[in-house]
Amino acid sequence: MTNSATAQRVSVLGLGAMGTALAKALLAGGHQVTVWNRTAAKAEALADAGAVAAATAEEALTASDLVILCLLDDASVREHVEPAAARLSGRTVVNLTTTTPEQARGLGRWAAEHDIALIDGGIMAVPAMIGTPGAFVLYSGAQAEFERYRQVLELFGKPEFVGADLGAAAMYDVSILGGMYAMFAAFQQGGLMVRSVGGSAARLAELMTPFLQAMATLLAADAVGIDMPEDFTQVQSDEFTAAAIDLIDKAAVESGNPTELFGVLRRTLTGL
Ligand SMILES: NC(=O)c1ccc[n+]([C@@H]2O[C@H](COP(=O)([O-])OP(=O)(O)OC[C@H]3O[C@@H](n4cnc5c(N)ncnc54)[C@H](OP(=O)(O)O)[C@@H]3O)[C@@H](O)[C@H]2O)c1
């Protein structure tokens, strides 16, 4: 709980599943929270819990020095912030709406023209995780304002600042999600393959989970090969890796589940 000396006025626009979780975390942290949602009924429970429900987006945008946006996409953000540009001047906007890196930079160019400090964010959590130790949030952009509001942002999850380039948080965000989807795609493929030998995806999950957890610890060593290729000594040759992946591909065909996945993995990892 934040004491009254450090309590901030914070606005949250967008009270979907995620925005509601963010507003609740701010209220639990003792802040003075103003909320707005396009469908007004979603603000009622938060108002009962102590938030001020603004009648319009502009009212919410200008009620606080710190404004958190958790809308649907870049277009919905632009729709509501652009008409309020002049009155947002001098405030800090943290956009936790998922956008592409270039959309984040574009909003940054607009914000700079209007003297608005912009921080872009990528939430690495589902709503139920907000405020729990497993949650972290990526931030990029206005670093001084990030530091100024760090204690407020800590209420959502561990804040991780990844660069002054406004596109950085979104780029790290999608890169992490790319890793997740690659893992799920390979698991889905493997599940079909083991079923062809009378096995089950459930048994595969049991065996694959600890193996992948161990493999994930190797990412940091692998990073040297990408960040500083001149200092990197490759443990396995590209030819070895390509042959190993080809063998998996052949097994997929034998199982009756041919896929493009392993060809893509081979080309990505080895260039062969
Ligand atoms: N949920 C997650 O696990 C998760 C994780 C990381 C990041 N995020 C990101 O957080 C953002 C919100 O996600 P969510 O899970 O809260 O989604 P959601 O439950 O579907 O809520 C979407 C929110 O956007 C509002 N909205 C949509 N179009 C709008 C417009 N044109 N003008 C004003 N408001 C508009 C909706 O208002 P109405 O209620 O009026 O429809 C609602 O408040 C998204 O960018 C999402 O990618 C979500």
Side-chain angles (χ1 to χ4, degrees):
M1 173 74 73
T2 302
N3 64 38
S4 57
T6 53
Q8 308 267 355
R9 278 185 300 168
V10 189
S11 293
V12 179
L13 284 87
L15 302 174
M18 186 55 85
T20 298
L22 301 175
K24 280 185 185 165
L26 292 167
L27 285 170
H31 296 289
Q32 298 170 36
V33 184
T34 298
V35 294
W36 174 83
N37 193 60
R38 180 180 60 177
T39 307
K42 287 189 192 166
E44 285 168 11
L46 287 162
D48 290 344
V52 173
T56 64
E58 180 149 353
E59 191 182 311
L61 286 168
T62 55
S64 310
D65 289 334
L66 176 61
V67 175
I68 311 277
L69 304 176
C70 193
L71 299 170
L72 182 66
D73 55 11
D74 183 58
S76 57
V77 168
R78 295 271 187 165
E79 181 186 333
H80 297 288
V81 295
E82 284 180 359
R87 297 190 63 205
L88 270 173
S89 180
R91 299 176 205 274
T92 298
V93 173
V94 180
N95 187 18
L96 297 179
T97 309
T98 304
T99 68
T100 70
E102 194 41 43
Q103 285 171 337
R105 290 191 195 103
L107 191 68
R109 287 189 288 274
W110 170 84
E113 282 169 21
H114 299 282
D115 188 31
I116 300 162
L118 182 66
I119 298 169
D120 192 61
I123 303 173
M124 305 313 299
V126 295
M129 288 167 67
I130 293 300
T132 69
F136 68 99
V137 184
L138 304 160
Y139 295 98
S140 59
Q143 188 163 11
E145 283 74 11
F146 167 78
E147 292 302 341
R148 181 172 166 203
Y149 290 114
R150 178 189 278 275
Q151 282 186 319
V152 179
L153 301 175
E154 275 172 353
L155 292 168
F156 303 149
K158 189 175 179 222
E160 297 277 8
F161 192 81
V162 290
D165 180 337
L166 265 164
M171 201 63 93
Y172 275 90
D173 185 343
V174 294
S175 299
I176 294 169
L177 294 179
M180 178 190 78
Y181 284 119
M183 177 186 77
F184 281 126
F187 175 68
Q188 183 164 320
Q189 176 67 23
L192 296 173
M193 289 162 67
V194 296
R195 284 179 64 81
S196 77
V197 293
S200 69
R203 181 73 175 126
L204 181 65
E206 218 174 83
L207 299 168
M208 198 189 253
T209 301
F211 185 75
L212 290 182
Q213 281 169 339
M215 291 298 104
T217 65
L218 303 180
L219 291 179
D222 222 41
V224 179
I226 304 164
D227 289 337
M228 293 171 285
E230 62 286 358
D231 295 343
F232 185 63
T233 310
Q234 197 165 326
V235 178
Q236 280 177 345
S237 70
D238 286 340
E239 288 70 20
F240 179 95
T241 302
I245 296 174
D246 281 347
L247 189 141
I248 303 170
D249 192 47
K250 280 200 184 74
V253 173
E254 285 179 12
S255 77
N257 297 285
T259 175
E260 293 172 13
L261 180 64
F262 299 115
V264 172
L265 292 183
R266 187 190 57 194
R267 286 192 295 282
T268 306
L269 285 172
T270 70
L272 298 175

